[in-house]
Amino acid sequence: MTDDYDIIIVGAGFVGLTLAFAFSQKHKRVALIEAKEKREKKHQHEIDSRALALSSASKQILERFNIWQHLQAVPINEVQVSEQGGFGKLYLTAKEQNLDALGYVMRAHQLGETLLSLCEAQKNITWFCPAILEGISQEQQKIIAKLNNHTAISAALLVIAEGVDSLTRTQLSFATKSRDYEQIAMVANISLSHAPTGIAYQRFTPQGTIALLPLNDKRFTVVWTVKKDQYHDWADNEFLEKIQSFIGFQLGTAYDVGPRQSYPLKAVFVEKAYDNRLLLMGNAAHTLNPIAAQGFNLTLRDIECLLNESSLERYQEKRIQDQKNMLRFTDTLVNLSSMKYAKHLRSFGLGSLNCLPFAKRRLFEHLLGY
């Protein structure tokens, strides 16, 4: 005998929690399977120092999901992209795009804690936690999930949201394409003594790409991407000196670095992310390089489409082109940023793009998935 749900979700990360809450707002019965205990998930959120950059389109999606009003976010009014030692710069502003903000930055731990609290409060979300998916069987009208605690549950749809290293995706032999960028991303929060508010920065350097996402009170999340053979576990003062040498003193002195986290970077793409009543979502379906901060934004568009589609075939048809475009776009940026002798080309390109309002508009629309 199995319990019947409208949807079963495996994985209670950002994607699984957002998906669960969005479906609960549609009065659907949701089963949420998570391998870690809830208190372990809460601790995992607490120590996550990352920041997430969300587009203005993603804000609108989260508003429609009834999630945005529970979040705290810092608006990005301007983005500046430059080449270290180069003459060309690209400026994107909310004003020229006729927007209240180009995007928003929020702390990853705050998003995770908020989503967890929202899902815990929903009576139509049933938690199976800690629990592990051990097997599935597909029938004509439903899919059955078998858990390691000898529980079996069924639903019309099962979504795998386990992340980039999804074990279930591997066990079910989904065909994947992957690319190891041979890069490490280092993430930490720092302060900059004279930084203005609401401006995000990206700088290309010979030692990798630096991104600065504004938090508040002159606090920024810095994401520094380097080649694996250049990675080193620098002491805090050395790390700050490195960042300072890349960005100069225009934003003041860098100080007060927080805990640092490092992540190897790779791209993963599943061409056909569904099988009958089973669907991969989030990083389990498409993992992007963070150079354009588009991974979660892309998945939010996926989730909204899934909410409004009656079949996975139609969902795939509607979403596949946006997913492929974003993968190609981020791959292109990585290639340009990694070219050894492309410094002057990048600088010229940024300066030229800055002089073309139509081209800047098209770039911004591409980032929004239009």
Side-chain angles (χ1 to χ4, degrees), residues 36-329:
K36 295 183 175 70
E37 293 187 9
K38 287 184 187 177
R39 64 174 178 270
E40 188 178 350
K41 291 296 293 183
K42 289 177 181 177
H43 176 68
Q44 186 178 350
H45 294 315
E46 288 169 359
I47 64 174
D48 193 342
S49 62
R50 293 175 301 165
L52 292 176
L54 298 177
S55 68
S56 56
S58 291
K59 172 183 180 264
Q60 294 170 8
I61 292 173
L62 290 172
E63 285 175 336
R64 292 191 285 271
F65 290 172
N66 297 319
I67 292 174
W68 183 260
Q69 62 267 37
H70 301 283
L71 300 173
Q72 297 176 355
V74 176
I76 300 174
N77 301 313
E78 183 177 328
V79 175
Q80 297 183 15
V81 186
S82 62
E83 175 78 31
Q84 185 183 17
F87 59 87
K89 287 187 177 181
L90 172 64
Y91 296 87
L92 294 171
T93 68
K95 183 177 180 180
E96 69 182 356
Q97 302 299 333
N98 297 314
L99 294 169
D100 294 333
L102 289 175
Y104 299 84
V105 179
M106 67 180 61
R107 297 177 186 267
H109 71 81
Q110 192 256 337
L111 174 62
E113 290 166 2
T114 300
L115 289 171
L116 190 59
S117 297
L118 289 172
C119 287
E120 285 181 323
Q122 301 307 303
K123 294 182 179 179
N124 53 339
I125 297 179
T126 302
W127 286 78
F128 295 86
C129 172
I132 297 174
L133 179 67
E134 286 199 332
I136 64 168
S137 58
Q138 300 215 43
E139 300 181 358
Q140 187 172 359
Q141 299 298 325
K142 62 184 179 180
I143 185 168
I144 299 172
K146 300 169 185 177
L147 309 184
N148 64 332
N149 58 6
H150 307 293
T151 301
I153 55 178
S154 64
L157 173 65
L158 189 150
V159 175
I160 303 298
E162 293 175 320
V164 60
D165 297 315
S166 170
L167 180 61
T168 306
R169 181 190 64 207
T170 302
Q171 291 173 338
L172 296 177
S173 301
F174 275 90
T176 62
K177 298 178 181 178
S178 63
R179 174 186 175 185
D180 187 342
Y181 289 109
E182 299 293 332
Q183 294 176 330
I184 301 288
M186 291 171 283
V187 183
N189 293 333
I190 65 171
S191 294
L192 292 165
S193 60
H194 295 93
T197 59
I199 302 180
Y201 303 87
Q202 183 149 348
R203 170 158 285 193
F204 300 106
T205 83
Q207 285 75 42
T209 304
I210 303 286
L212 294 169
L213 301 175
L215 297 173
N216 47 42
D217 297 328
K218 304 187 185 305
R219 199 77 173 148
F220 286 78
T221 288
V222 58
V223 183
W224 177 17
T225 301
V226 298
K227 294 181 180 179
K228 284 182 178 179
D229 58 7
Q230 296 177 330
Y231 172 75
H232 182 72
D233 188 17
W234 289 279
D236 286 351
N237 64 317
E238 294 175 318
F239 181 79
L240 285 173
E241 288 172 3
K242 289 280 187 182
I243 299 299
Q244 192 81 72
S245 69
F246 298 144
I247 66 176
F249 287 88
Q250 181 181 358
L251 304 178
T253 302
Y255 64 99
D256 192 18
V257 61
R260 217 178 316 152
Q261 296 172 300
S262 300
Y263 308 90
L265 299 182
K266 62 180 177 180
V268 176
F269 187 74
V270 181
E271 182 82 26
K272 184 174 181 287
Y274 73 95
D275 177 21
N276 195 8
R277 295 182 176 274
L278 176 70
L279 175 68
L280 303 177
M281 290 201 83
N283 283 341
H286 44 67
T287 302
L288 308 180
N289 188 289
I291 191 168
Q294 289 302 303
F296 191 53
N297 291 289
L298 178 63
T299 296
L300 287 175
R301 299 197 291 274
D302 291 342
I303 292 174
E304 184 164 57
C305 181
L306 183 64
L307 282 171
N308 297 307
E309 280 305 327
S310 57
S311 76
L312 294 185
E313 290 84 356
R314 285 182 55 80
Y315 162 83
Q316 175 92 352
E317 289 173 5
K318 287 192 172 184
R319 294 301 307 141
I320 190 66
Q321 198 57 54
D322 185 18
Q323 294 167 1
K324 286 184 174 180
N325 287 345
M326 200 53 65
L327 182 66
R328 280 194 292 264
F329 177 66

